[in-house]
């Protein structure tokens, strides 16, 4: 069911190759073929991954392939080619059953909660696993004719863990890399996934497996050592059935200089002035997160509520603006968190608001990045407190948007991947309302000298390890072919 009929493929391959070539304008260097669940080139409200991949493709040439987000009655493998903001894209529609089992099911009701340590929310259904496998087979079959012999293939994230193996089965011998944008869970948690070892084995068909942090890499390596009969070859190298796989800790960045410029743009300035005017001299605390239980939004509201209760003398001098655009509305757990947040916001505002002040502005919609840049610049505090996050680019965008002469303070969860790069932020345990309250009070009282020193140290890393650093670091590792050492260290469980 996962493969297209052979006669259909034979009649399409030549036509698709010509269409893919005509949609590109690249030099003689190896093209970059990016494959991800969704393709989102261009547009003002792109997420962090979309912005990063768009920047990478514009700089290096190539094509971005994935699901269109549209549903078709019958899967045909028809590809829609486009070019948006200098990025060539190729998308395919999926059947409703694919979307329900592969995307809403295995990806977002099984892997997402599990990889974010929420085994209480993870759902294990055979139909989900079957749909996940079928969709990845269909992606592999469809993208196959677009891949040239010298291309470098880069697969993104948890939706497509087995895609490398499906490409190998179809004869693709290119260098193929995989990057995981979410945490890798500890071995004992991953072991709750039925056939976890079989899923991990599919990753051994990649040449490079990338993680944001050494912590996630170490968790992966621990599973490989304990649960699989793999050989560890030196540091962060795995030998499996004659192949060598490199593991890489490579934190994603943002297009920092471009975001700094965006924060000074006319649209950003208008947003800045609008927000500042509405505050009437109060300090703004801002949170910008997709509506998701991993982001710690309920805990954030409770921490802010604790601050209001513990600091009556200053509480009316601040406003929390939480921007939380909805996502994955078809998944029940996301419906529950939206209802819970609306209830918390109403309770806190009802208990603390006055005639001229509301403590929480809760907004359920997204905004273009240039508008957000202005909001970040207007905020005295950036509140980024996920319960678990692979990286979190909002933290980096907040830092990049600040006025060097009057920077705000970043309060960051120690459980976000970004925390390992941002020790000068105020790091907090997002489960502790007391820690969050204390951090807000400290940030509001912080001197301009300390704010500048913390910001300078943090923004330096944001600029140096930007999105192009991420791309080049991963691609260098992907293009480096490993030679087998004479001695192989075998680690047994």
């Amino acid at each position: 069911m996962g493969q297209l009929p052979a006669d259909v493929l034979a009649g399409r391959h030549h036509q698709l190759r010509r269409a893919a070539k005509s949609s590109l304008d690249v030099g003689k260097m190896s093209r970059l073929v990016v494959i991800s669940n969704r393709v989102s080139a261009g547009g003002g409200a792109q997420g962090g991954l979309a912005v990063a991949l768009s920047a990478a493709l514009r700089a290096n040439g190539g094509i971005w392939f994935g699901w269109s987000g549209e549903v078709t009655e019958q899967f045909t493998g028809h590809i829609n080619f486009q070019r948006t903001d200098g990025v060539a894209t190729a998308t395919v529609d999926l059947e409703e059953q694919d979307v329900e089992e592969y995307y809403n099911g295995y990806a977002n009701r099984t892997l997402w909660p599990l990889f974010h340590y929420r085994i209480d929310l993870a759902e294990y259904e055979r139909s989900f696993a079957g749909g996940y496998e079928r969709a990845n087979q269909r992606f592999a079959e469809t993208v196959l004719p677009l891949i040239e012999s010298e291309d470098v293939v880069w697969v993104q994230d948890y939706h497509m863990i087995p895609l490398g193996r499906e490409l190998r089965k179809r004869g693709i011998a290119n260098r193929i890399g995989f990057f995981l944008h979410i945490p890798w869970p500890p071995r004992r948690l991953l072991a709750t996934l039925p056939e976890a070892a079989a899923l991990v084995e599919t990753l051994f068909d990649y040449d490079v497996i990338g993680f944001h942090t050494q912590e996630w890499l170490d968790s992966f390596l621990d599973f490989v050592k304990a649960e699989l009969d793999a050989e560890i070859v030196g540091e962060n190298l795995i030998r499996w059935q004659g192949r060598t796989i490199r593991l890489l800790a490579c934190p994603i960045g943002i297009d920092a200089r471009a975001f700094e410029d965006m924060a000074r743009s006319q649209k950003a300035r208008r947003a800045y002035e609008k927000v500042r005017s509405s505050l009437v001299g109060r300090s703004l605390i801002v949170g910008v997160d997709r509506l998701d239980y991993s982001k710690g939004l309920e805990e954030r509201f409770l921490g802010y509520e604790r601050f209001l209760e513990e600091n009556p003398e200053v509480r009316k001098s601040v406003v929390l603006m939480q921007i939380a655009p909805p996502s994955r509305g078809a998944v029940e757990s996301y419906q529950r968190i939206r209802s819970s947040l609306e209830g918390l916001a109403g309770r806190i505002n009802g208990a603390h608001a006055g005639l001229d002040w509301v403590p929480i502005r809760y907004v359920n919609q997204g905004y273009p990045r240039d508008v957000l840049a202005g909001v970040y610049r207007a905020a005295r505090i950036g509140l980024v407190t996920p319960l678990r996050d692979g990286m979190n680019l909002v933290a980096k965008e907040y830092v990049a948007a600040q006025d060097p002469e009057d920077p705000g303070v970043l309060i960051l969860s120690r459980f976000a991947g970004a925390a390992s790069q941002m020790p000068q932020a105020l790091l907090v345990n997002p489960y502790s309302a007391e820690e969050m309250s204390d951090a807000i009070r400290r940030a509001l009282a912080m001197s301009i000298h300390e704010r500048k020193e913390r910001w300078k140290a943090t923004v330096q890393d944001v600029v140096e390890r930007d999105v192009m650093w991420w791309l080049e670091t991963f691609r260098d590792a992907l293009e480096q072919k490993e030679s087998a050492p004479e001695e192989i260290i075998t680690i047994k469980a």
Side-chain angles (χ1 to χ4, degrees):
M1 186 174 181
Q3 300 182 14
L4 294 172
D7 58 335
V8 175
L9 287 172
R12 292 172 59 237
H13 279 202
H14 180 65
Q15 179 183 1
L16 289 175
R17 288 185 187 277
R18 288 182 60 190
K21 286 183 178 179
S22 66
S23 70
L24 302 172
D25 182 17
V26 299
K28 295 182 178 179
M29 63 180 294
S30 298
R31 296 190 319 164
L32 181 64
V33 178
V34 173
I35 306 175
S36 64
N37 172 64
R38 290 294 297 274
V39 175
S40 182
Q46 287 180 288
L49 174 60
V51 172
L53 292 178
S54 295
L57 285 164
R58 275 193 293 269
N60 291 267
I63 193 165
W64 187 355
F65 171 85
W67 175 37
S68 65
E70 300 297 329
V71 176
T72 182
E73 291 186 4
Q74 181 176 6
F75 181 80
T76 64
H78 170 75
I79 297 177
N80 177 36
F81 292 100
Q82 291 185 330
R83 178 179 285 276
T84 306
D85 290 349
V87 179
T89 63
T91 58
V92 63
D93 300 343
L94 292 178
E95 292 179 9
E96 185 174 353
Q97 183 180 2
D98 294 329
V99 175
E100 181 57 31
E101 295 175 349
Y102 147 75
Y103 181 70
N104 291 330
Y106 200 79
N108 290 320
R109 290 161 67 179
T110 302
L111 294 183
W112 178 270
L114 173 60
F115 279 46
H116 286 85
Y117 298 34
R118 293 298 304 270
I119 59 174
D120 59 312
L121 297 178
E123 301 178 36
Y124 305 123
E125 297 285 347
R126 288 180 181 174
S127 62
F128 292 172
Y132 184 74
E133 180 180 0
R134 181 180 66 251
N136 273 273
Q137 290 172 352
R138 287 177 163 179
F139 285 134
E141 201 71 70
T142 307
V143 77
L144 188 66
L146 307 185
I147 301 174
E148 303 290 346
S149 60
E150 298 301 317
D151 289 346
V152 172
V153 181
W154 195 1
V155 179
Q156 306 290 327
D157 225 359
Y158 64 104
H159 311 84
M160 297 183 168
I161 289 175
L163 186 62
R165 173 158 295 184
E166 296 301 328
L167 291 173
R168 297 294 187 205
K169 287 179 180 179
R170 290 158 177 78
I172 294 296
N174 304 52
R175 299 286 290 177
I176 309 178
F178 175 84
F179 195 90
L180 184 69
H181 292 269
I182 63 175
W184 187 272
R187 173 167 55 92
R188 294 300 185 187
L189 292 186
L190 185 57
T192 65
L193 177 70
E195 300 184 353
L199 181 67
V200 174
E201 281 184 23
T202 66
L203 285 168
F204 294 153
D205 279 288
Y206 294 103
D207 297 290
V208 179
I209 305 171
F211 305 86
H212 284 308
T213 71
Q214 189 66 39
E215 179 183 354
W216 312 143
L217 188 155
D218 289 343
S219 293
F220 177 83
L221 199 57
D222 179 54
F223 186 91
V224 169
K225 292 176 184 178
E227 304 294 338
L228 299 172
D229 186 21
E231 297 172 320
I232 309 304
V233 188
E235 184 178 3
N236 296 340
L237 293 176
I238 298 173
R239 175 66 62 80
W240 178 260
Q241 297 182 354
R243 300 190 72 255
T244 301
I245 301 97
R246 174 182 289 275
L247 307 183
L248 184 67
C250 178
I252 194 173
I254 63 172
D255 192 349
R257 292 303 187 193
F259 202 82
E260 288 177 347
D261 292 341
M262 189 180 295
R264 294 188 291 267
S265 69
Q266 186 176 8
K267 284 187 178 180
R269 184 67 187 177
R270 285 200 297 266
Y272 170 90
E273 292 175 348
K274 185 176 182 179
V275 169
R276 295 287 290 189
S277 175
S278 72
L279 293 171
V280 196
R282 296 183 174 91
S283 295
L284 177 65
I285 305 171
V286 69
V288 179
D289 308 82
R290 185 169 50 80
L291 193 59
D292 187 282
Y293 48 77
S294 70
K295 302 301 182 182
L297 300 182
E298 294 165 293
E299 289 79 5
R300 184 179 306 170
F301 280 15
L302 293 173
Y304 180 62
E305 181 181 39
R306 175 67 67 92
F307 168 80
L308 297 176
E309 293 170 348
E310 293 180 342
N311 300 274
E313 73 283 2
V314 297
R315 66 181 186 177
K316 288 190 177 182
S317 66
V318 298
V319 172
L320 170 62
M321 178 186 292
Q322 177 60 57
I323 299 173
S327 67
R328 302 169 186 165
V331 180
E332 184 179 352
S333 56
Y334 291 83
Q335 298 169 359
R336 287 199 301 267
I337 188 172
R338 180 169 185 174
S339 176
S340 174
L341 284 173
E342 289 171 351
L344 274 174
R347 188 190 81 194
I348 294 169
N349 282 338
H352 297 281
L355 294 177
D356 61 344
W357 170 69
V358 176
I360 296 180
R361 299 180 184 179
Y362 179 45
V363 183
N364 278 135
Q365 67 180 66
Y367 292 93
R369 295 178 71 240
D370 48 7
V371 172
L372 287 177
V375 176
Y376 292 144
R377 199 174 181 91
R380 178 67 176 273
I381 297 174
L383 201 51
V384 183
T385 55
L387 303 181
R388 190 69 55 175
D389 218 335
M391 175 49 55
N392 196 294
L393 296 182
V394 168
K396 297 187 177 186
E397 290 181 344
Y398 175 79
V399 169
Q402 293 309 296
D403 178 356
E405 298 305 316
D406 188 22
V409 180
L410 175 63
I411 298 176
L412 179 62
S413 166
R414 62 181 70 254
F415 303 130
S420 63
Q421 293 180 266
M422 297 180 160
Q424 293 302 317
L426 296 185
L427 300 181
V428 297
N429 176 356
Y431 293 94
S432 170
E434 291 179 338
E435 276 197 33
M436 208 171 306
S437 172
D438 290 347
I440 293 172
R441 183 172 60 250
R442 181 180 176 186
L444 290 172
M446 189 177 293
S447 69
I448 183 64
H449 174 74
E450 183 178 355
R451 283 190 280 130
K452 283 185 176 181
E453 290 302 307
R454 287 178 177 273
W455 175 79
K456 287 177 183 176
T458 306
V459 78
Q460 181 178 352
D461 188 86
V462 172
V463 171
E464 290 179 353
R465 291 199 278 183
D466 63 0
V467 63
M468 296 314 300
W469 175 90
W470 173 69
L471 167 70
E472 291 164 5
T473 301
F474 190 93
R475 188 163 182 172
D476 286 348
L478 185 54
E479 292 181 340
Q480 177 186 349
K481 296 184 178 180
E482 307 293 346
S483 57
E486 293 181 1
E487 294 185 1
I488 297 176
I489 304 171
T490 303
I491 299 179
K492 297 181 178 179

